[in-house]
Amino acid sequence: MNGSPDAEFEEVPERAPGPREAKDEDRDRIVEMGLRFIEESPYQGFLRLNPEAISRTVEATMASPAGTVVVLDVSGKLEGMILAVLYEHPFTGDRTA
């Protein structure tokens, strides 16, 4: 890099890799990650794989003011996700995540 205005610069991505709120177009990849989680975790023997149920859960969580879905976006590829929901604890009445 020579500092001249005509020097070539590496393109800067629009957004740095990292967590972000999920978008509607992320749903299929989130469902894939949910299925993989079940297949590779100790829950494998206890939970039936149901991509439609996962998709409904993701959609409802994204639409809920008490929920959020966050994905890990690494150069445009989703590498991780988490769903979080606030609810009233059944014993204390406290808002719980």
Side-chain angles (χ1 to χ4, degrees), residues 9 17 24-25 52 61 70 83:
F9 292 94
D24 287 336
E25 58 264 25
E52 293 82 14
T61 304
V70 176
L83 281 73

Side-chain angles (χ1 to χ4, degrees), residues 22-63:
K23 302 179 221 173
D24 287 336
E25 58 264 25
D26 299 328
R27 188 174 302 122
D28 289 345
R29 177 69 180 125
I30 294 169
V31 170
E32 287 175 20
M33 288 188 282
L35 291 169
R36 191 176 80 214
F37 170 77
I38 295 169
E39 291 171 335
E40 296 177 359
S41 76
Y43 297 107
Q44 178 185 22
F46 301 99
L47 298 176
R48 178 174 51 87
L49 296 178
N50 187 336
E52 293 82 14
I54 295 172
S55 184
R56 285 192 306 270
T57 300
V58 170
E59 185 173 342
T61 304
M62 290 172 68

Side-chain angles (χ1 to χ4, degrees), residues 35 89 91:
L35 291 169
H89 191 279
F91 297 146

Side-chain angles (χ1 to χ4, degrees), residues 60-72:
T61 304
M62 290 172 68
S64 171
T68 190
V69 181
V70 176
V71 294
L72 176 61

